[in-house]
């Protein structure tokens, strides 16, 4: 099997005498394949991949978001739960004012509420990420030139965020688990849609002007996003 590497992206190279153009495909498991006519120079293939890197990272990011986590949470003592990129160990307690809280570097969950662990964590994440997102939105509003009509936290399936034509922005509660730099990327991505609804070159140029390292952030999220889940 022939391969071609461009940066950290690795493609299986398939040559076909029936092809007249170069095609890039991404398999369900995230495998990258580039199919070409015979004897296309590697330098030319590298240029094509570079031109389509935003599209590639977008597809990889979506696949990472919908990939199921390697193991479901069990809500047992010592298990790790992320918040703003950091992992905190779980402690079961017999009494507390709240069924779940982050206290002295640990998540504390009422033992009597262990079966409701997932619902309690989602509720906790939704409540605590709201103000954090509002602060990030405010910090980028002037640079983007437009503020959202509203911002809500929802269950969004395989998406980290979305923006509708009315200017409403929605974020998945899972963003609360991500490092702040990744939350910033998701926020900027959706806010740029307020002024450019399509994923065209203008959109990505605007994102890159605001976050010069957006490609690195996008790639990191594509590779690691699935691990930030319940």
């Amino acid at each position: 099997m022939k391969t071609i590497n461009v940066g950290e992206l690795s493609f299986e190279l398939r040559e076909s005498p029936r092809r007249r153009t170069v095609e890039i495909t991404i398999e369900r498991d995230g495998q990258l394949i580039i199919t070409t006519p015979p004897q296309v120079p590697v330098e030319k293939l590298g240029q094509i991949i570079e031109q389509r890197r935003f599209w590639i990272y977008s597809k990889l990011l979506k696949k990472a978001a919908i990939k199921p986590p390697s193991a479901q949470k069990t809500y047992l003592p010592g298990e790790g739960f992320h918040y703003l990129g950091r992992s905190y160990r779980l402690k079961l307690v017999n009494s507390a004012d709240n069924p779940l809280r982050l206290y002295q570097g640990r998540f504390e969950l009422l033992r009597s509420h262990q079966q409701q662990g997932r619902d309690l964590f989602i509720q906790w994440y939704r409540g605590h990420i709201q103000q954090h997102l509002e602060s990030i939105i405010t910090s980028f509003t002037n640079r983007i030139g437009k503020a959202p009509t509203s911002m809500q936290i929802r269950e969004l399936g395989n998406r980290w965020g979305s923006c509708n034509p009315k200017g409403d922005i929605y974020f998945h509660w899972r963003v609360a688990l991500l490092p702040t730099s990744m939350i910033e990327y998701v926020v900027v991505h959706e806010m740029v849609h307020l002024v450019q609804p399509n994923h065209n070159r203008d959109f990505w140029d605007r994102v890159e002007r605001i976050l010069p390292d957006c490609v690195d952030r996008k790639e990191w999220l594509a590779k690691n996003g699935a691990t930030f889940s319940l």
Side-chain angles (χ1 to χ4, degrees):
M1 181 181 69
K2 296 181 179 179
T3 60
I4 177 174
N5 298 313
V6 177
E8 295 189 6
L9 298 175
S10 180
F11 295 79
E12 178 184 338
L13 177 60
R14 298 177 181 176
E15 294 185 341
S16 171
R18 293 177 294 179
R19 288 209 62 84
R20 295 185 178 181
T21 59
V22 175
E23 179 184 31
I24 295 174
T25 56
I26 303 177
E27 299 295 288
R28 291 177 62 87
D29 61 357
Q31 180 187 9
L32 301 174
I33 298 172
I34 185 165
T35 307
T36 76
Q39 299 181 339
V40 176
V42 172
E43 294 78 8
K44 178 64 175 178
L45 296 179
Q47 293 173 2
I48 294 172
I49 292 171
E50 183 65 24
Q51 291 168 359
R52 302 203 67 188
R53 60 176 178 162
F54 285 119
W55 176 84
I56 294 168
Y57 288 141
S58 294
K59 295 297 183 182
L60 288 174
L61 177 58
K62 183 176 180 180
K63 289 180 181 297
I66 64 177
K67 187 189 302 179
S70 56
Q72 297 294 323
K73 297 293 187 183
T74 56
Y75 304 94
L76 293 174
E79 193 169 21
F81 292 83
H82 285 98
Y83 176 55
L84 300 183
R86 180 180 172 184
S87 181
Y88 298 89
R89 296 297 179 183
L90 180 65
K91 178 181 179 181
L92 296 182
V93 296
N94 294 321
S95 63
D97 294 333
N98 297 304
L100 178 67
R101 68 172 179 170
L102 182 58
Y103 180 69
Q104 294 185 344
R106 287 179 179 269
F107 274 112
E108 291 187 349
L109 174 66
L110 267 178
R111 194 180 302 275
S112 59
H113 288 61
Q114 189 177 2
Q115 296 301 316
Q116 293 81 46
R118 189 175 193 276
D119 291 339
L120 289 172
F121 265 94
I122 292 175
Q123 181 181 349
W124 192 93
Y125 286 135
R126 290 172 66 113
H128 284 75
I129 198 59
Q130 179 86 26
Q131 185 175 356
H132 194 73
L133 287 169
E134 290 173 352
S135 177
I136 295 176
I137 288 172
T138 299
S139 69
F140 284 107
T141 295
N142 287 339
R143 296 177 65 186
I144 291 173
K146 194 171 183 178
T149 303
S150 69
M151 186 272 288
Q152 298 180 38
I153 300 168
R154 293 185 175 182
E155 169 67 56
L156 295 178
N158 62 6
R159 295 175 296 173
W160 291 106
S162 67
C163 177
N164 68 22
K166 296 180 181 179
D168 303 307
I169 289 182
Y170 306 98
F171 295 105
H172 200 300
W173 56 263
R174 283 177 57 211
V175 300
L177 285 69
L178 297 173
T180 296
S181 61
M182 297 301 115
I183 301 175
E184 287 178 347
Y185 169 75
V186 174
V187 170
V188 169
H189 184 115
E190 300 307 330
M191 289 186 70
V192 170
H193 277 311
L194 296 171
V195 293
Q196 176 49 263
N198 301 312
H199 284 117
N200 54 22
R201 174 54 58 180
D202 177 59
F203 171 88
W204 291 114
D205 285 347
R206 289 174 183 266
V207 174
E208 194 165 15
R209 283 198 297 270
I210 297 166
L211 298 176
D213 63 343
C214 67
V215 174
D216 292 334
R217 300 195 200 199
K218 189 182 188 73
E219 182 178 359
W220 189 96
L221 197 55
K223 290 181 177 180
N224 301 286
T227 63
F228 292 83
S229 187
L230 292 180

